[in-house]
Amino acid sequence: MRPVSPLLLARVDKDLDFDFVDVPRHKFYDTGDVKDIRAAHKWLEKKLGDAGPYDGVLAYSQSVALVSSFLLYRQWYEQERPPAFKFAIWLSGGVPLAALRDLGAPVPAAALDAVARARAQHEGGLGPWPAHAARARRAVVDSDDCFGLDLNRVPLELKIRIPTLHAWGRADPLLPSAVHLVGLCDSYIKKTLVHRGARETLPGDPDELEEMAELVGWCVRCASWPGQTLL
């Protein structure tokens, strides 16, 4: 995430301090199996213990999958502990469905198929599958069919209950995963930004980048609202 710092830091609150974390072996896991994901969670837990606590997290791509699933496992199995972060900013990433299923949430074949099709588009160097692009806006607000997930059947304990900002590009072939994560976060304390790019860490358009900086500020402020620290 080092490349985003000059662009973002020039626009956000100067009182914010960023700690850019080096990813082990340039990626957190290889297969996306639950075993690999849980092993990466141990690395993150140790990082937080050694260098934390942190107020919030700004994550991109696989880092989003790591942190979002970490929050869900901790929320499910260690309910007496507070969230690891007070807010989260998700860039072009989503929650691993394997982790969601391991936690007991229903993951229909339609959701798995949406992610598989999206991954095939990405690996082929293509844009979004046309049907995904056409449904993207509706899927963000469709709790019955969020790219195959029925969010009404997901327990409230598996909804991330901290302020979140979700940003991804219209041309991102992996957008179904980003939309899945939108549906798994608290509806009252989340914002989305769909920019004109693809899988860039940040929007390339100056106006969109300015909008994102404002939303980052909202997310940070929201984390300090009365009641948020009690979650």
Side-chain angles (χ1 to χ4, degrees):
M1 294 301 298
R2 293 182 190 277
V4 312
S5 56
L7 296 171
L8 196 60
L9 290 177
R11 292 170 168 82
V12 299
D13 191 325
K14 299 300 186 291
D15 291 332
L16 293 178
D17 293 322
F18 289 82
D19 179 13
F20 294 97
V21 177
D22 291 321
V23 177
R25 305 181 309 281
H26 305 292
K27 56 184 175 181
F28 292 107
Y29 47 81
D30 295 309
T31 67
D33 292 339
V34 169
K35 182 179 178 180
D36 283 352
I37 294 170
R38 294 297 279 153
H41 289 169
K42 291 180 180 179
W43 173 89
L44 179 56
E45 186 80 60
K46 184 177 186 303
K47 175 65 180 178
L48 293 174
D50 292 344
Y54 294 97
D55 289 321
V57 59
L58 186 153
Y60 167 69
S61 191
Q62 193 185 62
S63 299
V64 176
L66 169 70
V67 180
S68 62
S69 57
F70 175 80
L71 291 174
L72 289 176
Y73 274 95
R74 179 159 158 168
Q75 199 166 275
W76 185 256
Y77 287 112
E78 302 178 79
Q79 297 179 15
E80 73 284 355
R81 297 181 68 186
F85 303 100
K86 297 176 183 177
F87 66 89
I89 298 164
W90 311 123
L91 306 179
S92 302
V95 66
L97 293 184
L100 196 61
R101 182 166 51 186
D102 184 57
L103 286 165
V107 179
L112 296 170
D113 180 64
V115 171
R117 285 181 179 272
R119 187 173 296 119
Q121 292 289 112
H122 175 61
E123 292 174 354
L126 304 172
W129 192 50
H132 291 168
R135 290 197 65 248
R137 182 174 295 183
R138 178 183 173 186
V140 169
V141 297
D142 192 344
S143 60
D144 294 320
D145 185 8
C146 178
F147 281 121
L149 280 184
D150 184 349
L151 299 172
N152 297 313
R153 297 182 61 200
V154 177
L156 289 177
E157 292 82 3
L158 291 179
K159 300 290 180 71
I160 294 173
R161 300 191 298 269
I162 59 174
T164 56
L165 168 60
H166 308 251
W168 68 90
R170 294 176 196 164
D172 184 355
L174 299 179
L175 64 87
S177 292
V179 175
H180 282 159
L181 183 53
V182 172
L184 292 169
C185 292
D186 192 316
S187 298
Y188 295 101
I189 45 175
K190 69 184 176 188
K191 300 280 188 181
T192 61
L193 172 63
V194 183
H195 57 79
R196 288 191 283 269
R199 285 197 66 74
E200 298 86 352
T201 54
L202 292 174
D205 180 84
D207 291 337
E208 290 180 333
L209 189 59
E210 194 68 38
E211 181 181 0
M212 180 167 180
E214 292 177 3
L215 290 173
V216 168
W218 168 86
C219 200
V220 173
R221 292 191 301 274
C222 186
S224 66
W225 289 354
Q228 289 303 315
T229 57
L230 302 179
L231 294 177

